Amino acid sequence: MRPSLACSLFASLALAAVAGCVDPDADKGDDTDILDTDVVDTDTPDTDVADTDADTDLPAPSTLVQGGVQTCADPSAWEVSPYDMIDVNIALPPTPYANGGGSTTADLNGDGLIDIVAVTNDAALLWLQTPDQHFDRRTLLTRAHPDTDSGLFGAAAADYDGDGDLDLMITGRHVGNALLRNDGTATFEDVTIAAGLGVVPSDHHTASPAWDDYDGDGDLDLVLAGNGLVDETVDETYEFGPGDPTYLFRNNGDGTFTDASSSLPAEVAGDFTFVAGWIDADHDGDDDLYLVNDFGNTLQPNRLLLNEGGRFTLPADQLGLDVAIEGMGLGIGDLDGDGDEDIAIAGWRQLSIVKDQGFGWFDATQALALEMTRDQVVGWGTEIFDADNDGDMDISQAFGFIDTVHGRNQRPDQPDALFSQNAQGAFVDIAPRIGVDDAASHRSVNPADLNNDGLLDLVKVGLDGKGRIYFSRCSDEAWLTVRFQQPGMNRFGIGTVVTARAGSAVFVRRLRSGGTGFGTGGPMQVHLGLGDLDTVDSLEVLWPDGRVDTFTDVPTRQTLRVERP
């Protein structure tokens, strides 16, 4: 195996050599743009009638369209300095509170370039990317916020109405939410009331949004994490009222939603939830909800809600996920390459990793050496992703000052972290070494491949009035970007799980929209870092409805699109 080009900056995980496990029944056609596929049909029911033609029962196979293998012109540039930073002046006043700082990354006008929606206390700002990597800025939405407890919060993109373009859900604490419908050109109309989302009161403290087909009917539903108001008194005590409830909306399939919040347990209505994330925690094939709660070590720890046929239960056995933390951010991803997704959580003076063992979860924070420095006080948005394409997952962590009357948060400058995973699975903060340790007040770090070079760039919306975009320089490490296209209401395949296999190495990624970070949402694609692999033996696509497509001998270092008939 050749050495990793990024070893001087990132510790590599040794990947197993390609074993060449090729499906002997696969058709060896000559079309270099369309790869061979084996389709597992999970939708076709058994019948008592003998099938005289074995192929007639099978659905048409999905198509894997290759974008073409890319090469890096100057891999050595990555070793010298991985990122080129662009400083964007948001031109709004600094607001170091618990609002704003979220973002979403998505191709909003269909030109193949990922755009950015930056959310501040006062406004949701659209940065449309141009082919020369500049951003045309415009204002999508403004909100007056009367006090420090109110303001816009975050955003997530999804095609909720099935018309083929991405719409936006913008959330706010005590200033109202907005569902913005896209006409396909990144021109938006506020349809909050018409879509049935106006039942959320304007004074509701809504935090992170997340899209998912939780009831398996083919369209995208929405969860809005409910936070709450906390009065800080001059004698440094908290006055807790109940938190605002988390809202669950079921998509009716016609561009409107029904309030399905009664499907959530009544016990969670008063939680101070910052992030509600979708994850199949009990491995039963449907998506459960995980609530990351602020003041979790004082009031209510994080909660796991199990999906039982579209209704959610609060099990007495929380499977080890009832982490007591002043929870802010949530990262979800397979940290140990076992095929199961793990969780990272951030809070005040505390970072936690809980790993999925297949039958429950355990706290692996100390074992993996994940820890803050003395200058890092309040952890906010957390994301799990492969920053250097070496094949293992890393963790980005936003830190930032928040203006409170309490004396335990006196550091105005708190540097962000990028925890790189080494060969032993432990994490080392390399952010100071590679120049992404901004000390401005941030609430999120959003990883997305803005320039389509196969390495993830970083987007930060600073509450100091500036945005920061870190464009990654290319390297020679292998990668795949996978996009999805299917008919119906979930056109972009949110909830789809991709599994790449090469020898004994397994790489699992899931397409999400919201529900991680802190008020953040990523683009409609999944990214796999693959080390030195030139080919993966198989690429398995598990669609939200349970259908599986498997493709063999897939070349790496390219963007793929899986098209479902």
Side-chain angles (χ1 to χ4, degrees), residues 354-375:
V354 281
K355 278 193 169 185
D356 187 355
Q357 301 176 95
F359 53 87
W361 302 67
F362 75 99
D363 190 325
T365 313
Q366 275 193 314
L368 300 182
L370 189 72
E371 59 183 4
M372 300 178 176
T373 69
R374 63 186 299 272
D375 295 323

Side-chain angles (χ1 to χ4, degrees), residues 87-110:
D87 202 343
V88 183
N89 184 10
I90 299 175
L92 292 174
T95 51
Y97 301 108
N99 315 304
S103 67
T104 196
T105 48
D107 180 3
L108 295 173
N109 58 0

Side-chain angles (χ1 to χ4, degrees), residues 500-513:
R501 302 180 190 276
S504 62
V506 179
F507 310 87
V508 176
R509 305 289 187 270
R510 171 178 168 147
L511 181 61
R512 289 183 167 86
S513 178

Side-chain angles (χ1 to χ4, degrees), residues 304-358:
L304 171 64
L305 309 183
L306 293 180
N307 186 348
E308 304 290 348
R311 295 193 65 85
F312 292 84
T313 63
L314 184 63
D317 181 3
Q318 285 281 295
L319 304 178
L321 286 171
D322 50 342
V323 180
I325 185 174
E326 291 178 295
M328 309 293 191
L330 172 64
I332 305 176
D334 182 7
L335 290 171
D336 51 9
D338 65 353
D340 296 325
E341 291 188 312
D342 310 301
I343 286 175
I345 313 160
W348 285 72
R349 282 291 184 199
Q350 186 178 350
L351 300 175
S352 293
I353 290 178
V354 281
K355 278 193 169 185
D356 187 355
Q357 301 176 95

Side-chain angles (χ1 to χ4, degrees), residues 30-45:
D30 294 327
D31 189 342
T32 57
D33 292 327
I34 309 298
L35 292 184
D36 305 318
T37 175
D38 299 323
V39 179
V40 178
D41 178 18
T42 59
D43 299 328
T44 304

Side-chain angles (χ1 to χ4, degrees), residues 449 456 479-484 492-493 495-499 508-512 522-529 539-541 558-560 562:
D449 186 3
L456 294 175
W479 53 275
L480 283 173
T481 296
V482 188
R483 300 168 181 162
F484 312 100
F492 294 87
T496 302
V497 177
V498 171
T499 302
V508 176
R509 305 289 187 270
R510 171 178 168 147
L511 181 61
R512 289 183 167 86
M524 295 296 100
Q525 58 193 38
V526 296
H527 168 265
L528 301 93
L539 189 77
E540 178 185 282
V541 178
Q558 64 172 324
T559 297
L560 306 172
V562 185

Side-chain angles (χ1 to χ4, degrees), residues 229-252:
L229 171 65
V230 179
D231 287 332
E232 296 176 297
T233 63
V234 293
D235 60 350
E236 298 192 357
T237 62
Y238 284 128
E239 295 293 335
F240 290 106
D244 289 341
T246 289
Y247 275 83
L248 179 66
F249 289 95
R250 187 177 67 250
N251 196 323
N252 297 321

